[in-house]
Amino acid sequence: MNKNDIKKVVLAYSGGLDTSIIIPWLKENYNNCEVIAVSGDVGQGTELDGLEEKAIKTGASKLYIEDLKKEFVEDYIFRTLKAGAVYEGKYLLGTSFARPVIAKRIVEIALKEGADAICHGCTGKGNDQVRFELTIKAFAPGMKIIAPWREWDIKSRDEEIDYAIAHDIPLKINRETSYSKDKNLWHLSHEGLDLENPANEPQYRKEGFLEMCVAPEDAPDSPSYVSIHFEKGVPTAVDGIEMEAVEIIEKLNDLGGKNGIGLIDIVENRLVGMKSRGVYETPGGTILYKAHKALETLTLDKETLHYKNLIAQKYSELVYNGQWFTPLREALDAFVETTQKTVTGDVKLKLYKGNLTNASVTSPYSLYSEEFATFDKDEVYNQRDAEGFINLFGLPITVKAILEKEWDK
């Protein structure tokens, strides 16, 4: 499609540095096209304040703010939680699964508006460009995609700030505090500046750095406890009070944040091939993952639990790589749903200065039997049976050792 053929563009708009300058850039470089901004509300909170005025002032014809929080939690976060998916053992995928829910809604609006193209502000180095564009391809395979970072001459955040100043675009950041951040209901990520060097310790106590959590050393000197009830792998109540999905995460974010829970410092392998360093705040999510895993240890048999761990790694890679809308992810969901039939019960956790420990786990479907596990006298287990089991289990080792002796003769 020729640039001159593009009359209307739908922009994935956050109001941050990248997308703020994209609106005037699109109009300058795409024949003064109409720009419709779309913001997906996945829990950014005050970041959405004043967004419509800003979008219109910088050249957009209108702004959609779509409330996606409930869909985000129930259809994306909880699916991933039930799968136990954690990317490279640490990252709880906060940015990764927010992108498909936002991009899907943007496609719906673009089709409704009769747009010629969809634009995003993702860099050519990052993962988000893939996540956005694979979702667009899944729902509008013929849609033109504009990615300014792959076109324009701007090379850095400093140059972006220069562009914004030259075009009278108001910014909430300055050159000294311009971490690349992404915030939603689940987490807040920090990248760039001093964090680009893994030798630098994150300055958690620096004013304005952390937003969802306190530094662990600033958490209360006495522990907090929280009880979470799950029904078939889905959290439904906190401390005995039933809550909606979004409310549960908000409640646990508040509690976890006050206790310094959910801070990770990770060097991760990006999809595009490079390593990147980031700091993530995921207080409520960390609590939910810990509780869910504790309940599964009680309710899943050994073989299912071990195999599910293998599935979890693949699931995390699919989410991280932007492959949410794929047959494999749907197939893995079917497996996961089967495993969650008995993941019902209550988990009590102890929170103390950034640490989470199990305090209590109960379930009506518990596979744990004190009668079998006890070190005291029991009437259900014949310890002599272990000898025959060991002989059979170790038979390949025994045979190999016997034959090796004969070979050496």
Side-chain angles (χ1 to χ4, degrees), residues 88-156:
E88 295 190 337
K90 295 182 73 174
Y91 176 38
L92 298 185
L93 298 163
T95 298
S96 307
F97 49 34
R99 295 308 182 232
V101 65
I102 294 171
K104 178 173 176 285
R105 185 62 182 132
I106 288 170
V107 170
E108 292 168 354
I109 291 173
L111 294 175
K112 183 182 78 171
E113 288 280 356
D116 303 304
I118 292 174
C119 179
H120 64 74
C122 308
T123 75
K125 287 185 175 181
N127 304 304
D128 281 344
Q129 58 183 336
V130 182
R131 297 163 184 157
F132 269 107
E133 294 185 29
L134 292 191
T135 300
I136 294 168
K137 291 179 186 298
F139 294 99
M143 182 68 69
K144 166 71 175 175
I145 298 171
I146 301 173
W149 270 104
R150 305 202 295 253
E151 295 184 29
W152 62 22
D153 295 327
I154 296 172
K155 302 298 182 184
S156 67

Side-chain angles (χ1 to χ4, degrees), residues 151-170:
E151 295 184 29
W152 62 22
D153 295 327
I154 296 172
K155 302 298 182 184
S156 67
R157 290 180 70 79
D158 267 348
E159 291 184 12
E160 285 187 288
I161 293 173
D162 291 339
Y163 185 98
I165 293 171
H167 289 75
D168 295 320
I169 299 171

Side-chain angles (χ1 to χ4, degrees), residues 44 132 355:
Q44 300 94 310
F132 269 107
N355 295 297

